Amino acid sequence: MDQRKRPTDKAFAPEYQGALGSLSVNSSLTDVLAKGVEELRAAEQAGERREMARCGLAVAEACRRLGRVTEADSAWKASYRAARSVDDVGAMAWALWSGGTLARQRGSLALAYRLLRLAADLGERGGDVVVRGYSLAGLAETGRIQGDYQAVGELHEQLLAEARRRGEARHTVWALEGIAQMHRNTGSYDRALALFEEAAATAGRADDRRGRAWALRGIADVVSVRDGDVERALSLLTEAESLCRGMKLSSALAYNHKMRGNVHYRAGQYAQARDTYAQALAEFQEMNEPRGTALSRLGLAKALARLGRNPAETVVELAELRRDLDRIGLRHARDMVDKATAELGVGPLPDVGNPAERAVTR
């Protein structure tokens, strides 16, 4: 079954197409990968280029979400080449969407913008409103993680309205979570909590376990920072972790662990925070995920400082982090480094950045 023709009251995965169209949005990623590789080989043997593009897309996405970024990079490019060889504009758009999403995950934000814009344009040209919407959502998310809230806030709201109008539960959940995160990062905790709770409820009704796991993480963050409710926050994260493990969501699980570190840190449980940040850091490094790596390093540096680390070592670590975040272009995260510097009383930081390098990445 083509996922794009399924009823929209339940979450579906439009990136699973062709022979993989029967897979659920909640299918284990290891199962998706195994099935995708099997069907891809069959399509290659039959010389079916369109089916190669569709199966290659599923392989690329499974590899990306499992943190196997080198394989994901090869898979989306092969999917694009197969689609282009038969002039399948829609399949080309989906492959570019996957490549752009991978680029964002790897911290290559300029490349992410370029690929996602191309994907949106091809989606519009090919009349595929779903891939166009996913690509615009990717552009919005890329801007959001950079901290460009003014630039992408309206786009998030537009995509939320479109998703609701079409009854696309999974996309509705994504948009709600993105808007909630922007409110949380600007201190509007009540509004953020309401949106995260709506996202969790919507995901629950639609049986979107991935979306629900991310929403629960958002709720845990807000109740921790706003209310200091450690017990509830950790309980929510435990539920989200169970969902992540069930689907083998490596990246989401690492972000869950990083948030658990945040909850411990805010509660003054610095030893637990140190251990949890270190766990998340190892997970992100294994996946070559620079944003998560940097955020975990920041949390770990703060926890170690609270546990008596030499202030000079903390200064070096924070200065390197600020440089790395500037290189990636994550403005909100860079502000977090500046706040940590003030909080720990170790500033000002030396300027170890490279302005020319930073200009290239913006």
Side-chain angles (χ1 to χ4, degrees), residues 1 4-5 16 23 25 55 65 68 71 73 81 101 182 192 224 257 260 262 275 293 299 321 324 326 340 354 359:
M1 177 187 293
R4 291 166 293 182
K5 296 177 182 177
Y16 301 157
L23 292 175
V25 67
C55 295
R65 291 163 178 161
R68 296 163 62 165
E71 294 167 75
D73 190 54
R81 288 193 296 269
T101 306
M182 287 187 283
S224 166
H257 291 154
R260 188 175 288 270
N262 290 356
D275 295 344
T293 296
L321 270 170
D324 292 347
D326 270 354
N354 184 333

Side-chain angles (χ1 to χ4, degrees), residues 220-288:
D221 184 25
V222 176
V223 300
S224 166
V225 73
R226 186 192 70 171
D227 305 330
D229 193 338
V230 178
E231 184 177 351
R232 185 183 176 206
L234 293 178
S235 176
L236 289 163
L237 290 170
T238 297
E239 181 184 346
E241 178 166 347
S242 176
L243 294 169
C244 293
R245 290 191 182 281
M247 295 179 60
K248 307 293 192 296
L249 299 175
S250 304
S251 180
L253 182 61
Y255 274 105
N256 181 290
H257 291 154
K258 198 274 296 181
M259 183 56 67
R260 188 175 288 270
N262 290 356
V263 172
H264 285 306
Y265 181 86
R266 292 167 189 155
Q269 300 168 349
Y270 300 126
Q272 296 97 316
R274 174 199 60 203
D275 295 344
T276 313
Y277 283 134
Q279 177 185 4
L281 177 59
E283 291 168 338
F284 284 123
Q285 288 177 329
E286 184 178 358
M287 292 183 286
N288 190 27

Side-chain angles (χ1 to χ4, degrees), residues 17-59:
Q17 303 170 12
L20 302 173
S22 62
L23 292 175
S24 162
V25 67
N26 298 318
S27 294
S28 163
L29 292 176
T30 52
D31 292 343
V32 173
L33 181 57
K35 181 69 171 175
V37 169
E38 177 187 347
E39 294 294 345
L40 177 58
R41 287 172 178 164
E44 288 172 343
Q45 291 174 358
E48 297 177 355
R49 307 292 290 180
R50 281 188 172 83
E51 192 64 16
M52 287 168 57
R54 296 185 184 109
C55 295
L57 172 64
V59 169

